[in-house]
Amino acid sequence: MSQALHRPRIRPGRIVVWTLLMLGGIVMIMPFAYMISTSLKTPEQVYDLRLIPVRPTLKNYAALLADARFLDWFVNSLVTSTLVTVSVLFFDSLVGYTLAKYRFRGRGVVFIAILSTLMIPTEMLVIPWYLMSASLGWLDTYWGIMFPGLITGFGVFMMRQFFMTVPDELIDAARIDGLSEFRIWWEIAMPLVTPALSALAIFTFLGNWTAFLWPLIATSESTLFTVPVGLSSFASENLTRWEMVMTGAAVSTIPTLIVFILFQKYIIRGVVLSGLKG
Amino acid sequence: MRAIDSLTIHQKQALWAWVFLAVPIVFFVVVRFYPTLDSAWISLTNWSLFREPKFIGFANYRKMFADPVFWKVFANTFKYLALGLPISLLISFTVAYFLDRVRVMHGLIRGLYFVPYLTTAVAMAWVWRWFYEPVPIGLFNDVLSSLGLPQQPFLRSVDQALPSVLAPAIWAGLGFQVIIFLAGLRAIPETYYEAARIDGVGSWTILREITLPLLRPTLLFLIVISSIGFLRIFDQVYNMTVDGQGGPLNATRPLVLNIYNSAFVDYDMGYATAQTMVLFLVLLVITVVQLRLLRSS
């Protein structure tokens, strides 16, 4: 931010600009404010659109959590998103490292082939994935929800960029010390790219947590829904009970908001890294 | 001696590389490349899921081009792009341009704009759907009527529904665009601005002559990424329209929702994949054209 000190500045309007930006920011979070506010209201109060509820109540949350389905959806999302993230971190960095640090015939072809998968929209693949899952019995299983995302072309590309910055001398020195190739990657190279790994981890987790289209297709048993799919079905069956819909929306959004508040710095940096380098 | 040594090291390296790549290569072949070819093949079949696929040549494509719903959906998809892209880029650039100069509570303000990007599109679609309800439930109509303005049908109107569905999509993406613009602005060397100020150039000219031209890579990236996003809109439409049908009268139905319906409501896998081929081609053409246009100019 020290750079901003030297920037040309619109001097007369500075306070006006600041105020407008702040107002815009407040408008941006209004949907959350209203979502939380309505989730704290009784059905009669829903028509009272004041932002601060007159007599806030947690009854809706109690009612929602008494509905066992929500817990299922949370567990499903938590397990699948976590496992996919672990797999992505492991495989994407292994492949990225291999493509960055090994010289072998076919390296270019492998790299271009993996990059080319970024051009193929998921929508084109979901139907073959569905047919594959149906014939192999993967529908309505965790594996079925997870398998398409276990390794990603984007992550491979991003990790390759970062492993390129690891000096070859370090790897050669480890070889001379007699470390196995696997341990060189895991113990020498991996710790050097932790910023990239944490950005990739957060994005993979959030991306899977909020994913809708594939989990919607891959599951039909409500006990196997992920949070977004569950919320979608819950909301459409409670269309007249907006305070319950808002409570469901709040419960499904709070985890992502917490992740954001905790990791704000990494997330912003991750967007920049993935945006400008990927 | 050394030549032989280095040769074995190379061979050893190559061996390790293929060991490390073995599982991922199998994965990419099975989960990415095979399904890509498979969907091209499925699009040439009549496959209702319950019967064996039957090869029917280009019949799905002929059916598609003769289907008025497909053309409606195709037009809708481009409406999302044509409205969403310029509006979102204009707002996010304006915010980033001024936010770049703000020091007091810079992080907080940036956070306020960014939070929507990280939320579940499904949850936010329902919040916005509630906003659009008529009085006495909906917030927007409540504000309108308290200002003495007539109520608006929003999601119930064939004309207003599409922009109403688009609004939360634009809203959710602004934070990402702002962050990328901010990073682009920070990357412009300070010396350009200093030189311009010494020459006594006004801030409007600086914006037009220095900032915008130097932001071209950032702009290019955002245009491509955001276009792809708007052309693939689905979550909002599915959750904001009655029964996820993209109504009223298909007024909001985008291509991805039509694909979903063909495949998982009508179980017409061939027809659905034929439409995915169109989506793929559109994304490819748009990306290539945008990269060409922006690189050459």
Side-chain angles (χ1 to χ4, degrees):
Chain A
M1 224 162 296
S2 62
Q3 255 197 17
L5 287 170
H6 311 292
R7 280 287 150 102
R9 211 169 283 133
I10 328 93
R11 289 180 188 283
R14 250 158 78 188
I15 297 168
V16 178
V17 163
W18 189 91
T19 313
L20 286 176
L21 282 174
M22 195 68 182
L23 281 177
I26 291 169
V27 169
M28 288 294 282
I29 59 153
M30 270 306 156
F32 302 101
Y34 270 98
M35 172 183 75
I36 304 281
S37 146
T38 307
S39 71
L40 300 172
K41 289 175 178 172
T42 61
E44 300 77 48
Q45 290 173 321
V46 169
Y47 306 106
D48 174 4
L49 290 173
R50 272 175 292 188
L51 188 54
I52 312 289
V54 185
R55 273 186 308 280
T57 166
L58 289 172
K59 257 165 69 191
N60 299 329
Y61 286 88
L64 194 75
L65 297 176
D67 181 341
R69 293 178 299 176
F70 257 84
L71 187 66
D72 278 340
W73 301 339
F74 257 85
V75 171
N76 298 341
S77 278
L78 202 62
V79 172
T80 54
S81 303
T82 306
L83 291 178
V84 168
T85 305
V86 170
S87 166
V88 162
L89 287 185
F90 182 85
F91 283 112
D92 286 13
S93 51
L94 182 63
V95 177
Y97 172 76
T98 308
L99 293 175
K101 288 297 167 202
Y102 285 89
R103 307 274 168 275
F104 58 97
R105 278 164 70 93
R107 179 171 77 148
V109 176
V110 172
F111 181 57
I112 297 291
I114 292 177
L115 262 194
S116 72
T117 63
L118 295 177
M119 291 301 298
I120 303 163
T122 328
E123 291 79 6
M124 197 170 144
L125 303 175
V126 290
I127 293 164
W129 287 341
Y130 175 81
L131 296 170
M132 197 194 289
S133 299
S135 63
L136 296 168
W138 293 352
L139 294 175
D140 284 314
T141 65
Y142 280 175
W143 172 254
I145 297 170
M146 295 188 315
F147 84 88
L150 292 175
I151 308 177
T152 65
F154 165 72
V156 166
F157 179 68
M158 178 175 152
M159 292 317 296
R160 176 182 168 273
Q161 300 296 92
F162 279 91
F163 279 117
M164 303 253 265
T165 65
V166 173
D168 285 335
E169 291 78 18
L170 215 61
I171 292 165
D172 289 337
R175 273 195 193 117
I176 291 163
D177 288 346
L179 247 62
S180 73
E181 295 294 318
F182 187 84
R183 284 180 63 192
I184 294 173
W185 165 62
W186 185 252
E187 289 172 19
I188 308 290
M190 282 293 262
L192 295 173
V193 294
T194 36
L197 285 172
S198 42
L200 183 60
I202 293 167
F203 273 92
T204 308
F205 187 85
L206 286 174
N208 280 280
W209 186 275
T210 58
F212 183 60
L213 181 62
W214 175 244
L216 176 72
I217 293 168
T219 56
S220 54
E221 295 272 349
S222 75
T223 49
L224 278 142
F225 286 170
T226 58
V227 170
V229 180
L231 176 67
S232 177
S233 74
F234 173 83
S236 50
E237 75 193 46
N238 285 285
L239 252 179
T240 48
R241 302 194 53 198
W242 284 104
E243 78 288 351
M244 286 311 287
V245 175
M246 290 306 114
T247 311
V251 167
S252 69
T253 304
I254 288 166
T256 38
L257 284 184
I258 292 174
V259 169
F260 171 68
I261 290 162
L262 290 179
F263 300 110
Q264 193 186 138
K265 221 173 60 192
Y266 290 105
I267 290 176
I268 303 251
R269 200 167 54 186
V271 167
V272 174
L273 288 179
S274 56
L276 299 185
K277 296 204 169 182
Chain B
M1 277 296 279
R2 283 197 61 192
I4 294 166
D5 273 352
S6 76
L7 196 72
T8 50
I9 285 172
H10 273 291
Q11 283 172 337
K12 249 168 81 179
Q13 280 209 15
L15 186 68
W16 272 108
W18 291 112
V19 168
F20 287 163
L21 292 176
V23 172
I25 286 177
V26 171
F27 175 87
F28 277 108
V29 168
V30 174
V31 177
R32 303 277 158 177
F33 295 116
Y34 170 72
T36 306
L37 296 175
D38 199 28
S39 62
W41 150 252
I42 297 168
S43 77
L44 303 174
T45 66
N46 183 357
W47 194 351
S48 71
L49 197 62
F50 310 109
R51 272 175 290 128
E52 282 297 295
K54 205 177 103 210
F55 183 81
I56 52 166
F58 288 94
N60 284 321
Y61 292 90
R62 279 195 294 274
K63 175 182 165 190
M64 184 164 68
F65 294 133
D67 179 1
V69 175
F70 171 78
W71 287 112
K72 172 79 184 158
V73 158
F74 196 71
N76 286 345
T77 307
F78 277 94
K79 273 188 212 160
Y80 284 113
L81 174 69
L83 284 172
L85 189 66
I87 293 175
S88 66
L89 286 179
L90 194 67
I91 300 176
S92 59
F93 177 75
T94 311
V95 170
Y97 180 74
F98 289 109
L99 191 55
D100 188 38
R101 290 156 169 72
V102 163
R103 278 166 295 143
V104 185
M105 294 201 251
H106 174 95
L108 172 74
I109 300 178
R110 193 183 56 187
L112 292 177
Y113 283 92
F114 190 66
V115 161
Y117 175 66
L118 288 166
T119 53
T120 321
V122 174
M124 290 305 123
W126 285 95
V127 174
W128 280 74
R129 184 170 176 169
W130 168 62
F131 282 174
Y132 288 127
E133 287 289 302
V135 168
I137 303 170
L139 181 73
F140 291 154
N141 274 317
D142 187 70
V143 172
L144 286 177
S145 65
S146 70
L147 294 171
L149 295 167
Q151 280 207 59
Q152 296 299 321
F154 295 118
L155 294 170
R156 287 150 215 257
S157 141
V158 262
D159 303 315
Q160 294 176 9
L162 189 139
S164 303
V165 168
L166 181 63
I170 293 177
W171 168 80
L174 278 184
F176 174 80
Q177 296 180 339
V178 167
I179 298 292
I180 298 292
F181 269 133
L182 278 174
L185 288 168
R186 287 285 151 84
I188 298 175
E190 201 54 34
T191 46
Y192 289 106
Y193 290 111
E194 278 159 15
R197 249 174 312 157
I198 290 165
D199 292 347
V201 179
S203 54
W204 184 246
T205 316
I206 292 179
L207 172 67
R208 237 187 31 234
E209 303 288 331
I210 300 174
T211 312
L212 286 178
L214 288 171
L215 269 184
R216 186 179 292 142
T218 309
L219 204 58
L220 167 70
F221 170 77
L222 280 179
I223 289 177
V224 172
I225 290 288
S226 308
S227 300
I228 294 174
F230 286 119
L231 290 170
R232 294 171 58 189
I233 191 166
F234 174 77
D235 300 5
Q236 285 87 357
V237 195
Y238 184 89
N239 286 289
M240 289 177 75
T241 57
V242 177
D243 295 328
Q245 285 302 303
L249 298 172
N250 297 327
T252 59
R253 189 190 285 199
L255 195 47
V256 177
L257 183 55
N258 212 49
I259 292 168
Y260 176 84
N261 274 349
S262 300
F264 302 104
V265 177
D266 306 336
Y267 293 110
D268 192 343
M269 296 299 167
Y271 191 48
T273 42
Q275 293 174 67
T276 68
M277 300 303 280
V278 171
L279 178 71
F280 172 60
L281 272 180
V282 167
L283 294 178
L284 196 67
V285 168
I286 293 245
T287 311
V288 171
V289 167
Q290 285 173 342
L291 287 172
R292 279 275 156 81
L293 277 181
L294 276 134
R295 283 235 168 99
S296 62
S297 62

